Amino acid sequence: MGEEMEQLVNMGFPDELAAQALAATGGKSTLKATEWILTHKSSSCSSPSPSPSPKPNLPISNPNVQPKLDRFFLFQSRPPTPPTAALPQSVQKRDPAAIDSDVADLNLPQLSSKRPKLLSSSIVSVPDSSAGKGNQPPDEPLSERMRPRNVDDVVGQDHLLAKNSILRSALECNRLPSIILWGPPGTGKTSIAKAIVGSTSSFSQSFRFVSLSAVTSGVKDVRDAVEEARKTRIKNNKRTVLFLDEVHRFNKSQQDSFLPVIEDGSIIFLGATTENPSFHLITPLLSRCRVLTLNVLKPHHVSVILKRAIDDSEKGLARTISMGVQVGDEAIDFLAANCDGDARTALNALEISAITAAARSNPAQIDDCNVEDANGNAVRNRGDTASSSSGAVVTLDDVKEALQCKHLAYDKAGEEHYNLISALHKSMRGSDADASIYWLARMLEGGEQPLYIARRLVRFASEDVGLADPLALNQAVSCYQACHFIGMPECNVILAQCVAYLALAPKSIAVYQAMGAAQKAVRESVGQNEGVPLHLRNAPTKLMKEIGYGKGYIYTPDNPSAAQSFLPPSLQGHKFLNWPESQGTQK
């Protein structure tokens, strides 16, 4: 009887009640003993509850009902007959689901061959005090809530959405072509795509909108969307607009999957990309789509968007902090001027600064605030929507703290990287030292590697300065070595010195042009390139001398005035380097 007693005790029953049950049932069956406990109330013992939060005197909905209990035990060998055979007739006729429900209500422990895991208090779920307020999900970030609902609300892209523009005309005629929207982050690519659907009721009736992201979607998702689009067109005569954000992240084979469905009209394709489509999208896809370029937002455009967020009591800033908010023009102008034309960055910084101001004004009202920071980490307010009579006042210092530093649009592997190095190169070529140093600073502040810039300066010293100042190459090489020795930020002055020297140095592209002309002559020579004339060949052996190698060569230091040719016969007299003879002799 010891093993049965141990099992009952492990289940959480008191020793006295377990011993009483075993004595009443013969002491050989744990199952019968447990059934006895559940069907006979003991006046001296309370029903146990082995859960972390005990519930004494747990009632049974019907004391004459007995649930299945065999699944709570680990037997070495099970009896040949089901456990329910030993139960009263009234219990056997019950629905098994109802019996299981009663067992679940009893909150009985399960015996296991594995060692039970201890629950850590740090992971125990605590009911939210706001559970009774509707369990609303966290709010969307301010930048997402303030997306335009139709194309009339889009700011700063009048060249695409003004009257008689391509996109506006297409919407009015319900004849939207496949489009690639190309522009910097935060200029409205996704907003325009989503606003197209809500622009007119006739458009929403004729088209179905499906949104995917190349970051999280693959070819299978595209195929599923296309298949559904074909079914919808057959069933409802409704075409599908498939919007793919970050389309440049799809590789060549993935982009190929769009070609047939765009071609046969199964979908209208809308793609959004921050990268140059010429480099990141395949030519067949570009030939099937119209590329529309979005402009960087001007400060006054960003100001309009910020003021709209401040004034909108339903979706705007007040919803974030659950109180009134005041933002001065100085703070708005600072955000608009320092977000680098990125409306999302400006809205995120405004939201964070409002949280800071609200915390200073009334900490109790934002004890559960969550916002989306400038890196896209979403956290939002889930508190009450009670308003404050005083409200929060966002100051210029709050905005500066939220923005931290001026936002710079720079991608070390993207188009802006090549745009800035091109601006630096051309400014030095134009001998504008001020502009050259400015573009250098833009690259360094954007995080460009100093050795990359130094390598470009070495190239510039030969390509654009060349023979006009041969020491420029020494300066550039020394600059590269110095940057390699000490790195950033100390090497910024070294780079600036070399940039200024090269910008102010005299310029000559004679060597650059000569090399280009010589390469062209080699590439365009008819048939095989001519061999080296015999008198220019080396003759280290007797046999080579006998067959004419080196014959007729005049050692120039012994006879500087002697005339001899150094070019192949077909190029005799051809000039590649246009450099005055007098200067060449002096050099």
Side-chain angles (χ1 to χ4, degrees):
M1 193 170 68
E3 182 180 352
E4 289 77 5
M5 181 70 176
E6 182 180 358
Q7 286 187 350
L8 291 173
V9 171
N10 288 338
M11 292 178 65
F13 296 118
D15 294 348
E16 182 182 353
L17 183 60
Q20 185 179 356
L22 289 172
T25 58
K28 296 183 179 180
S29 173
T30 307
L31 177 61
K32 291 182 179 181
T34 308
E35 293 169 353
W36 185 92
I37 293 174
L38 296 177
T39 55
H40 294 78
K41 289 185 178 180
S42 174
S43 59
S44 60
C45 300
S46 300
S47 298
S49 177
S51 62
S53 301
K55 299 179 181 179
N57 298 320
L58 183 67
I60 301 177
S61 57
N62 186 352
N64 296 322
V65 174
Q66 175 61 48
K68 293 181 180 179
L69 295 174
D70 59 311
R71 59 191 179 93
F72 293 94
F73 298 90
L74 294 176
F75 293 100
Q76 296 297 328
S77 61
R78 292 188 177 273
T81 58
T84 54
L87 299 178
Q89 190 70 19
S90 60
V91 176
Q92 297 182 31
K93 295 179 180 180
R94 289 203 65 212
D95 184 6
I99 297 176
D100 290 344
S101 175
D102 286 344
V103 174
D105 291 340
L106 290 174
N107 198 20
L108 292 175
Q110 294 191 31
L111 295 180
S112 173
S113 60
K114 296 182 179 179
R115 183 178 179 180
K117 295 182 179 179
L118 296 177
L119 288 177
S120 172
S121 59
S122 62
I123 62 173
V124 174
S125 176
V126 179
D128 192 351
S129 59
S130 63
K133 301 173 184 177
N135 287 330
Q136 294 294 330
D139 292 339
E140 294 174 312
L142 178 63
S143 57
E144 186 66 28
R145 297 199 306 266
M146 295 308 300
R147 284 195 186 277
R149 295 300 186 260
N150 56 68
V151 293
D152 293 326
D153 295 336
V154 177
V155 178
Q157 307 300 337
D158 294 338
H159 64 294
L160 299 180
L161 299 171
K163 188 177 180 180
N164 298 326
S165 63
I166 296 174
L167 205 49
R168 178 76 69 172
S169 300
L171 291 175
E172 291 175 354
C173 299
N174 273 0
R175 298 289 296 176
L176 187 68
S178 291
I179 292 172
I180 301 292
L181 297 170
W182 170 37
T187 54
K189 300 180 295 298
T190 305
S191 296
I192 289 177
K194 293 183 176 181
I196 285 175
V197 181
S199 296
T200 61
S201 58
S202 59
F203 188 89
S204 59
Q205 292 172 2
S206 305
F207 295 90
R208 169 176 163 268
F209 186 82
V210 176
S211 179
L212 296 176
S213 173
V215 177
T216 57
S217 303
V219 174
K220 182 182 183 300
D221 301 290
V222 174
R223 288 174 179 166
D224 293 343
V226 170
E227 184 63 28
E228 186 64 26
R230 287 171 172 162
K231 293 178 180 178
T232 303
R233 189 174 186 184
I234 295 173
K235 184 177 180 180
N236 301 326
N237 195 26
K238 205 172 187 179
R239 298 188 67 187
T240 298
V241 177
L242 176 60
F243 173 64
L244 184 66
D245 203 6
E246 307 293 343
V247 62
H248 60 274
R249 294 184 180 272
F250 267 15
N251 58 35
K252 182 180 182 299
S253 61
Q254 290 173 315
Q255 293 180 38
D256 283 337
S257 64
F258 290 112
L259 302 182
V261 293
I262 296 176
E263 190 74 26
D264 64 17
S266 298
I267 64 168
I268 296 172
F269 181 73
L270 289 184
T273 177
T274 57
E275 303 296 336
N276 192 325
S278 301
F279 303 138
H280 293 271
L281 301 184
I282 59 175
T283 304
L285 182 59
L286 292 177
S287 70
R288 288 164 171 79
C289 301
R290 171 73 175 173
V291 178
L292 300 182
T293 305
L294 279 74
N295 296 330
V296 175
L297 298 178
K298 303 296 182 184
H300 67 274
H301 294 144
V302 179
S303 295
V304 171
I305 296 173
L306 293 176
K307 291 177 181 177
R308 185 184 292 173
I310 296 169
D311 296 337
D312 193 327
S313 58
E314 180 183 350
K315 301 177 298 182
L317 202 56
R319 177 174 166 182
T320 297
I321 60 176
S322 302
M323 65 172 64
V325 60
Q326 299 177 16
V327 184
D329 291 339
E330 189 178 19
I332 294 175
D333 293 341
F334 180 85
L335 274 177
N338 289 274
C339 69
D340 214 24
D342 188 334
R344 185 183 294 106
T345 296
L347 288 170
N348 289 339
L350 176 65
E351 191 169 30
I352 295 172
S353 61
I355 290 293
T356 303
R360 181 176 61 247
S361 173
N362 190 358
Q365 288 209 10
I366 56 166
D367 55 353
D368 195 17
C369 277
N370 271 340
V371 296
E372 181 185 38
D373 62 15
N375 293 324
N377 300 317
V379 265
R380 299 245 57 189
N381 174 39
R382 297 193 299 271
D384 296 335
T385 57
S387 61
S388 171
S389 58
S390 59
V393 179
V394 177
T395 65
L396 180 60
D397 290 338
D398 293 330
V399 170
K400 289 181 177 179
E401 179 66 21
L403 198 59
Q404 292 292 313
C405 63
K406 180 179 174 67
H407 178 75
L408 294 175
Y410 189 72
D411 184 356
K412 290 188 286 185
E415 185 189 14
E416 197 63 17
H417 161 83
Y418 296 104
N419 289 341
L420 288 178
I421 194 62
S422 176
L424 173 61
H425 198 125
K426 292 174 181 176
S427 298
M428 292 190 297
R429 182 182 293 154
S431 299
D432 190 334
D434 297 310
S436 302
I437 293 176
Y438 168 77
W439 294 118
L440 171 67
R442 278 279 298 271
M443 296 185 74
L444 292 177
E445 287 298 313
E448 184 57 77
Q449 293 295 325
L451 291 182
Y452 168 78
I453 302 174
R455 287 195 298 270
R456 302 310 304 164
L457 297 182
V458 173
R459 167 72 183 192
F460 182 91
S462 285
E463 178 180 335
D464 287 272
V465 177
L467 296 178
D469 184 359
L471 292 177
L473 185 58
N474 294 348
Q475 289 279 340
V477 172
S478 298
C479 172
Y480 179 89
Q481 292 174 338
C483 290
H484 183 70
F485 291 156
I486 64 175
M488 282 291 288
E490 288 84 358
C491 71
N492 61 344
V493 178
I494 298 169
L495 287 168
Q497 175 183 332
C498 186
V499 164
Y501 182 95
L502 296 177
L504 299 175
K507 308 296 190 296
S508 170
I509 59 171
V511 173
Y512 174 72
Q513 291 177 329
M515 189 62 190
Q519 288 178 320
K520 182 180 178 181
V522 171
R523 288 193 298 264
E524 296 180 356
S525 60
V526 179
Q528 188 176 5
N529 283 308
E530 295 180 73
V532 177
L534 289 177
H535 71 283
L536 298 179
R537 300 185 184 186
N538 189 29
T541 66
K542 179 180 178 182
L543 175 62
M544 297 173 77
K545 290 180 180 178
E546 290 176 351
I547 60 178
Y549 279 32
K551 184 178 181 180
Y553 171 68
I554 301 173
Y555 188 58
T556 304
D558 292 341
N559 191 358
S561 59
Q564 61 179 333
S565 174
F566 297 96
L567 283 171
S570 63
L571 295 174
Q572 290 295 328
H574 192 90
K575 288 187 67 66
F576 295 105
L577 179 64
N578 295 317
W579 191 254
E581 252 182 58
S582 58
Q583 293 189 31
T585 304
Q586 292 172 6
K587 298 292 181 186

